[in-house]
Amino acid sequence: MTKPEILLMGPYPDWDLVELEARYAVHKIYEAENRDAFLATHGPNIQAIATRGELGASADLIGKLPQVEIVSVYGVGYDAVDLAACRERGIRVTNTPDVLTNDVADLGVAMMLCQSRGMIGAESWVKDGSWAAKGLYPLKRRVWGQRAGVLGLGRIGFEVAKRLKGFDMDIAYSDVSEKPYADGMTFVADPVALAERSDVLLVTLAASAATRHIVSKQVIEALGPDGMLINISRASNIDEDALLDALESGALGSAALDVFEGEPMLNPRFLKLDNVLLQPHHASGTIETRKAMGKLVRDNLAAHFAGEALPTPVV
Ligand code: 8YV
């Protein structure tokens, strides 16, 4: 029996690749020197796309794959997949929710602690001899008991809030509606008002066209010179130019970011700042979670080709 042909949009760990190659003819577009020529050769036979959250699948790509039936996303976010193009062609879309929630929440909280307490600078202080030469490390800001704003109280936002309770933080959240499961948290509908009452604003909402730049210049300025912005969602949720302006001028105190416009290429302005903590989009990046994500990608593909119900469908 011939193997179904799948298009792999970016590298997967070897443990996934071995499993995928056992079942499918895998075409790695990220290794192609000429993507157009690659798609002209393989595009007509591709039945499935295996992609990653940040890589997605564009309408242009889908248009070059006349036989594609399913897009399986290695990630919870599917904002980079053109859902309208998929719906129009009856192409199924799946993602990997739940299995990554706790790791993403952990990293968000770790970033908040690390940045508040200046841990990266403190390590340099030890390693470069400043401790011995200059004495005590400059004082930083506390975390416990501070006011936290969680923008988006979905699965990840909820787990973030749960962890913040352990630091006795005063927690408020914004979402499209008040959530019945938000015990002990204050609902603040307007993101600007949420930022005004927060020392730390954690951005945890799923990205879509509707949420683009929801963290606007006004939200950033409302957070203020002592405020901290954490982003573990998507760069598009934040007006990045406004963020850079505010970090440079001091209108915003600091930020800790796992996602960037145009990543992995960053706006070089970020690299000059000493009030940011920069992470390489690895909130879900643990061996345990990535194994579970890879399995879910494969389970969705297998269910599709067996004509069974998809475990985690989006469309
Ligand atoms: C990436 C993510 O998919 O879950 C998401 O939406 O962005 C991440 O988990 C992951 O980095 C793999 O590319």
Side-chain angles (χ1 to χ4, degrees):
M1 208 178 89
T2 56
K3 293 175 176 174
E5 302 203 17
I6 72 170
L7 188 67
L8 199 57
M9 296 304 295
Y12 275 34
D14 286 347
W15 55 66
D16 290 321
L17 207 50
V18 168
E19 298 276 345
L20 286 172
E21 284 180 331
R23 271 189 104 129
Y24 308 102
V26 178
H27 299 288
K28 301 170 186 162
I29 194 167
Y30 54 94
E31 288 183 351
E33 273 175 28
N34 180 331
R35 284 169 81 104
D36 287 338
F38 183 90
L39 286 173
T41 306
H42 300 294
N45 302 319
I46 297 293
Q47 285 172 266
I49 299 174
T51 188
R52 299 196 325 218
E54 74 279 24
L55 300 174
S58 66
D60 179 57
L61 174 79
I62 289 163
K64 291 175 178 150
L65 309 175
Q67 312 255 34
V68 72
E69 298 164 11
I70 180 168
V71 179
S72 189
V73 181
Y74 179 80
V76 67
Y78 47 82
D79 50 301
V81 177
D82 195 311
L83 292 189
C86 291
R87 284 203 179 94
E88 202 175 296
R89 295 253 311 269
I91 297 167
R92 305 300 308 274
V93 179
T94 62
N95 66 344
T96 60
D98 300 318
V99 294
L100 47 64
T101 302
N102 285 307
D103 278 341
V104 175
D106 280 356
L107 195 84
V109 174
M111 285 160 63
M112 175 186 72
L113 290 167
C114 183
Q115 182 67 333
S116 298
R117 301 300 300 270
M119 290 177 70
I120 304 288
E123 193 196 40
S124 302
W125 195 258
V126 175
K127 285 187 172 168
D128 70 11
S130 296
W131 190 13
K134 301 181 194 165
L136 298 177
Y137 184 59
L139 301 181
K140 299 295 169 184
R141 305 304 298 248
R142 75 160 48 139
V143 168
W144 72 267
Q146 301 283 69
R147 296 164 306 165
V150 180
L151 185 52
L153 202 71
R155 285 174 287 229
I156 293 172
F158 180 76
E159 284 301 324
V160 165
K162 202 168 103 184
R163 285 156 176 72
L164 301 182
K165 283 183 184 172
F167 295 98
D168 289 333
M169 296 184 87
D170 168 3
I171 303 165
Y173 71 99
S174 275
D175 209 310
V176 284
S177 61
E178 209 164 336
K179 301 294 172 199
Y181 49 79
D183 276 352
M185 304 176 216
T186 308
F187 177 63
V188 181
D190 174 25
V192 177
L194 181 73
E196 256 161 19
R197 74 162 324 270
S198 300
D199 299 304
V200 186
L201 183 68
L202 299 108
V203 186
T204 53
L205 79 174
S208 67
T211 66
R212 184 172 165 74
H213 291 188
I214 189 169
V215 180
S216 59
K217 185 172 190 282
Q218 291 73 20
V219 171
I220 293 165
E221 287 177 359
L223 204 46
D226 292 325
M228 177 182 298
L229 182 67
I230 313 277
N231 192 9
I232 47 171
S233 60
R234 283 289 186 268
S236 63
N237 283 332
I238 295 183
D239 181 340
E240 202 172 79
D241 286 332
L243 172 63
L244 282 159
D245 289 345
L247 287 165
E248 285 167 357
S249 70
L252 176 66
S254 61
L257 309 164
D258 189 42
V259 284
F260 304 87
E261 291 287 4
E263 63 186 50
M265 304 308 292
L266 267 62
N267 187 322
R269 289 167 70 192
F270 277 117
L271 307 179
K272 297 200 179 97
L273 291 166
D274 57 13
N275 52 353
V276 288
L277 173 69
L278 308 174
Q279 297 287 294
H281 195 157
H282 74 134
S284 67
T286 65
I287 292 166
E288 297 88 342
T289 281
R290 288 290 167 86
K291 284 197 167 169
M293 288 164 63
K295 180 168 184 311
L296 207 38
V297 165
R298 294 194 304 280
D299 287 351
N300 276 295
L301 290 174
H304 173 77
F305 286 112
E308 292 165 4
L310 302 177
T312 47
V314 172
V315 168

